[in-house]
Amino acid sequence: MNGPQTEENYLESYNPGDYPPVALAADLVVFAVAGSVLHVALVRRGTHPFRDRLALPGGFVGPRESAEDAARRELAEETGLDLGGLLVHIEQLATYSAPLRDPRMRVVSTAHLVLLATNGSTLPALAGAGDAADAGWYPAHEILAGKPGGQLAFDHSVILLDGLNRLAGKMEYTTLATQLLPGEFTLTQLRTVYEAVWNSPMAPGNFTRKMTPQLEDTGQKTRTAGGGAPATLFRATDRHIHPPLARPRTP
């Protein structure tokens, strides 16, 4: 062939088999708060490798999928949780590419952080399907402490810890914690979220003084069945908290 090679000719002769194969996966760290506890959605693996071990929901990205589309699909297939019908916040967490993180082959995972809004009392039901023998909600801090269930499959304990640190850190200077609540909420509900994520109690007075200017007052109040004083309902804003909230130090 005379003259410089065109891009079309280059692509026709290009052989992907000249390079080592790498699979792409998507995993999800799904957090929700209920009963003043931060929960994470986990599945029990029904197949090898790591059969019967707890793991984050996720799986391989299809040839015509984005990583986020695959994450949503895998979550629905393995847990029955359809993010399209729920009030959620989702953001990309990090990429995990250690050569031996999966014993089957070289697998690079794009992990996503998902915050699921709840009323603070109940969690959506999960049902294991597909590759998952079971699915359920587990206390996140207990899982990271190795109970119940012990170490998660693959490097999912690392991904879970990174997800928790991302959430806990951003809550210092943003109103991200409100994504774990309904559209309207009380300061007590918001403080409960902070305590659940940071795994530490907070002084109510200081929290109220710090957070009230960061939120939008709806002008509405809660109705109380027991005759207590109604509490003001707030909405989330995208304001930054300055100076940031001080996270309580754990012993």
Side-chain angles (χ1 to χ4, degrees):
M1 181 178 65
N2 297 325
Q5 185 183 34
T6 66
E7 182 170 332
E8 182 179 0
N9 290 332
Y10 167 78
L11 292 176
E12 287 178 352
S13 62
Y14 184 82
N15 182 16
D18 292 340
Y19 301 91
V22 178
L24 179 62
D27 294 302
L28 299 101
V29 181
V30 184
F31 285 134
V33 174
S36 302
V37 174
L38 179 67
H39 291 80
V40 60
L42 298 176
V43 300
R44 191 169 297 280
R45 288 184 55 79
T47 60
H48 294 295
F50 302 106
R51 189 165 134 184
D52 295 327
R53 290 270 290 275
L54 291 175
L56 297 171
F60 290 106
V61 177
R64 298 186 180 276
E65 285 183 309
S66 68
E68 182 171 331
D69 287 343
R72 290 174 178 269
R73 174 184 56 76
E74 286 285 347
L75 183 65
E77 289 178 357
E78 293 189 340
T79 71
L81 198 60
D82 182 1
L83 297 183
L86 299 169
L87 184 61
V88 298
H89 167 86
I90 182 168
E91 63 181 65
Q92 197 169 116
L93 175 61
T95 298
Y96 297 84
S97 59
L100 301 179
R101 62 178 301 275
D102 191 312
R104 295 168 292 188
M105 62 180 295
R106 183 74 188 272
V107 179
V108 175
S109 176
T110 301
H112 296 77
L113 175 65
V114 179
L115 307 182
L116 179 61
T118 73
N119 60 8
S121 301
T122 58
L123 296 167
L126 303 182
D131 294 338
D134 192 17
W137 294 100
Y138 292 80
H141 290 285
E142 290 188 13
I143 288 292
L144 287 170
K147 54 180 184 179
Q151 193 81 358
L152 299 181
F154 304 103
D155 56 355
H156 289 187
S157 292
V158 174
I159 299 176
L160 172 56
L161 180 59
D162 288 348
L164 178 58
N165 286 337
R166 165 77 67 85
L167 172 58
K170 291 182 75 170
M171 283 169 46
E172 295 180 4
Y173 61 93
T174 74
T175 57
L176 183 63
T178 61
Q179 300 298 320
L180 289 162
L181 292 168
E184 297 183 352
F185 50 86
T186 68
L187 281 170
T188 298
Q189 289 176 304
L190 182 58
R191 178 165 51 84
T192 298
V193 168
Y194 270 86
E195 292 177 339
V197 175
W198 285 354
N199 202 27
S200 179
M202 302 190 69
N206 288 339
F207 183 82
T208 297
R209 285 191 293 273
K210 187 74 175 180
M211 289 303 301
T212 299
Q214 319 302 331
L215 305 171
E216 179 185 343
D217 189 333
T218 67
Q220 305 295 318
K221 294 184 179 295
T222 60
R223 297 179 180 179
T224 56
T232 301
L233 287 169
F234 292 90
R235 293 192 190 95
T237 68
D238 59 357
R239 299 171 191 163
H240 276 59
I241 302 171
H242 183 76
L245 278 170
R247 195 188 322 185
R249 293 186 179 181
T250 54

